[in-house]
Amino acid sequence: MPLRVARFGDFLRDHKAALRMLQWGVVAVYVFLIVVPVFLPLPDETAHVFNNLTVAAQFAFWGIWWPFVLVSMPLMGRAWCGWFCPEGMLAEWMSERGRNRPIPKWIRWGGWPFVAFACTTIYGQLVSVYQYPLAVLLVLGGSTVAAIGIGFWYGRSKRIWCRYLCPVNGVFQLLSKLAPWRYKVDEQKWRDFAGSGKKVIPINCAPLVPLRHMQGAAECHMCGRCAGHRDAIALTARSPEEEIVDVAHGDGWQTALLVFGMMGIALGAFLWSASPWLVAAKQWVAEWLIDRDILWPLNDTAPWWLLTHYPEVNDSFSWLDGAAILGFIAATAAVVGGLLYLALQIADGLLPQRNKDSVHRLAQALIPTAGCGVFLGLSATTVTLLKHEGMGTGWVNDARFTLLALGLAWTLRLAWRVAGRRGAGVLARLPAMAVYAAGLAPFVYAWWLFFIGW
C-alpha cells in the first residue's frame, strides 16, 4: 500500500503536462457556465436542468461543484486546488507572464482567509448568488479576475492568490488537515542527498510551501511536482487525525474562521431564509417604520449588484431586507460563535499545560463539525434543486442528522485526544469535554430547527 501511494505521487509528477491540459478544460467549462447564462432570459417555473442552461449551471455550481469540492478536502487533500481549480490555473499562468513584483506585506496578512470568507459569504447572500447568473458572474467571475490580476503583478510562476487571498483558502486549509494522504519529507534523506553530489533539479511549488519543512497537508495542492525531490519527498498515507492531534497548533485567525466564520457567519447565511424569527422581526420593524412615516427603508430600488433586484420575477430586496439579513447573520455569529468561543476558553482553562496557543489547538478539533455544517448548508441548494426536478428527498433529513452526528462524534474524539496530549487523565478531561460539548449545543440546535422546519 505505501509503495502504491508513492507511485501515484510519481504519476502526477510525470504527467504534469496532461494535468495542465485537464485544468484548461475545467477553465473552459467554468467560463462557459458563468458567462453564457447572463445573456439568457431568467428561467421560469417550467425550466429544468435538462432543458435550461441557466438551471443547469445553477445545479452544476451550487448543487454539485461547491458541496462536493468541500467533501473532497478531507478525502483527498487539496487535490481540487492542484488538479482542477480554474482560478489557481489562471493565477499561475498569468504569474508566468506577469511583472514578477515582490509580495507586499498587506497580501501576507494572516487575517485574509477569515475576512475574505466572511465578506464573500455575506455579500453572496445579499445578491442571491445561488439563484441569479449576474450574481454568479459578479462573485465568482470577480474573484477570478482578482486572481488573474494578482498573478499578473506578483510572484513568478506562483499562486499568490491561492496562498493568501482566495476566499475559500482558509476553509480548504482546515478541512485538508483531515486528509488521509500527504507529501512527507524524510529529513535524513534530504541531508544525505545534499552530501551525495547529485544534481538538484529545481521544482516550482506554486503555492509557496516550504518543502523541506512541510509537515502537513493544509497548504499543499497535491500536484505531485515535488514527488521524489532530493529523493526525500513521497506521497504517503497517514491517519486522518494525525495533523490535528500531533502536528496542527492553529492560530487566532484559524480559530476565528472556525468559530465565527464556518460555525457562525456561514450558519447565519444558510439559515436566514428559513427563519420565522427573521420574518417576525422584520415585520415588527416595518410596522414601526410605517407608524412613523419612515418609508425609504421599505423601498426596493437598490441596484442588483448591491441587493437582489429582479422585478421581472418579483424578487427584489428592500433596504430593510438587506439590513435584516446582515443583522441575522451578525446575531448568529455573535451568539453561536460567541458561546462556542467562551466554551473553548473555559475548557482550555480546565486542562493542564495551558499556554497562549493551547486554546487554538483545542479549536482544531472543531474542523469535522464546522466542515459538516458548511456542507449541510451548501447541499440545501442541492436538495431544493432535486425537489424541483421531481426527485424524492424523503431520505434527506435522516442523512443530515447522521452526518451531523458523525461530525460531532469526530470532533469530540479529536478534542479528547488533543486534551490527552496535554497530560490530562480521564477524570481531568471529563469536565473540559462537558464544557466543550455544551459550547456546540447552540450550533446543533440551530441545525435541528432547520431540519425539522422550525
Side-chain angles (χ1 to χ4, degrees), residues 54-367:
T54 301
V55 177
Q58 182 185 16
F59 187 74
F61 278 126
W62 310 115
I64 299 175
W65 189 315
W66 281 111
F68 292 97
V69 164
L70 205 71
V71 170
S72 76
M73 296 297 152
L75 294 179
M76 302 173 64
R78 298 184 65 168
W80 163 262
C81 301
W83 303 355
F84 303 110
C85 180
E87 284 193 359
M89 173 65 195
L90 290 169
E92 184 179 352
W93 178 81
M94 183 58 72
S95 181
E96 293 169 352
R97 294 155 178 79
R99 296 293 183 88
N100 187 29
R101 294 188 176 181
I103 307 170
K105 286 185 178 180
W106 68 267
I107 286 183
R108 297 177 185 269
W109 180 53
W112 282 122
F114 171 75
V115 171
F117 175 81
C119 291
T120 304
T121 300
I122 294 170
Y123 182 64
Q125 297 304 305
L126 295 177
V127 297
S128 297
V129 71
Y130 299 155
Q131 284 80 39
Y132 296 107
L134 276 173
V136 172
L137 181 63
L138 182 62
V139 175
L140 297 185
S143 176
T144 303
V145 169
I148 293 171
I150 293 293
F152 177 76
W153 283 104
Y154 302 112
R156 174 180 292 174
S157 302
K158 304 298 182 185
R159 297 188 174 194
I160 307 302
W161 172 263
C162 307
R163 181 69 171 81
Y164 298 107
L165 301 174
C166 172
V168 289
N169 174 49
V171 175
F172 289 173
Q173 282 183 336
L174 291 169
L175 294 178
S176 63
K177 292 180 180 184
L178 302 174
W181 330 93
R182 73 177 179 98
Y183 283 92
K184 185 176 181 179
V185 183
D186 187 319
E187 287 279 353
Q188 184 59 50
K189 289 184 177 180
W190 187 289
R191 288 191 292 268
D192 291 345
F193 187 91
S196 68
K198 295 180 181 179
K199 181 180 179 181
V200 177
I201 300 175
I203 59 172
N204 172 40
C205 180
L208 297 164
V209 179
L211 296 179
R212 182 171 183 175
H213 305 290
M214 179 170 55
Q215 291 186 309
E219 296 171 350
C220 173
H221 285 194
M222 301 293 287
C223 65
R225 298 179 195 179
C226 65
H229 183 58
R230 293 177 178 262
D231 298 333
I233 301 178
L235 185 63
T236 308
R238 65 173 184 174
S239 165
E241 298 184 350
E242 175 185 283
E243 194 162 343
I244 304 300
V245 177
D246 300 322
V247 178
H249 298 287
D251 58 45
W253 284 115
Q254 287 190 5
T255 299
L257 179 58
L258 276 165
V259 175
F260 294 101
M262 297 171 69
M263 301 181 75
I265 291 171
L267 180 66
F270 292 135
L271 300 189
W272 71 264
S273 60
S275 172
W277 303 339
L278 179 65
V279 174
K282 192 167 62 175
Q283 183 66 30
W284 182 86
V285 173
E287 292 174 356
W288 187 89
L289 292 170
I290 292 172
D291 289 343
R292 287 156 180 78
D293 201 30
I294 305 173
L295 302 181
W296 68 264
L298 307 180
N299 294 333
D300 60 356
T301 55
W304 66 268
W305 47 265
L306 187 60
L307 293 174
T308 299
H309 186 74
Y310 301 94
E312 62 270 35
V313 291
N314 297 316
D315 189 11
S316 296
F317 287 175
S318 67
W319 297 104
L320 176 59
D321 290 326
I325 293 169
L326 290 174
F328 185 89
I329 294 174
T332 304
V335 173
V336 176
L339 290 175
L340 179 55
Y341 186 72
L342 177 62
L344 279 173
Q345 292 286 355
I346 296 173
D348 181 54
L350 293 173
L351 294 169
Q353 300 179 24
R354 186 181 188 186
N355 57 52
K356 64 179 182 179
D357 298 321
S358 58
V359 70
H360 303 310
R361 185 165 186 178
L362 196 59
Q364 295 283 300
L366 294 169
I367 292 174

Side-chain angles (χ1 to χ4, degrees), residues 37 40-48 51-56 58 131-133 312-313 388:
L40 301 177
L42 290 175
D44 56 24
E45 291 298 320
T46 64
H48 292 276
N51 64 15
N52 187 280
L53 180 61
T54 301
V55 177
Q58 182 185 16
Q131 284 80 39
Y132 296 107
E312 62 270 35
V313 291
H388 183 67

Side-chain angles (χ1 to χ4, degrees), residues 383-394:
V383 173
T384 301
L385 292 169
L386 290 176
K387 284 182 178 179
H388 183 67
E389 296 302 315
M391 298 184 65
T393 55

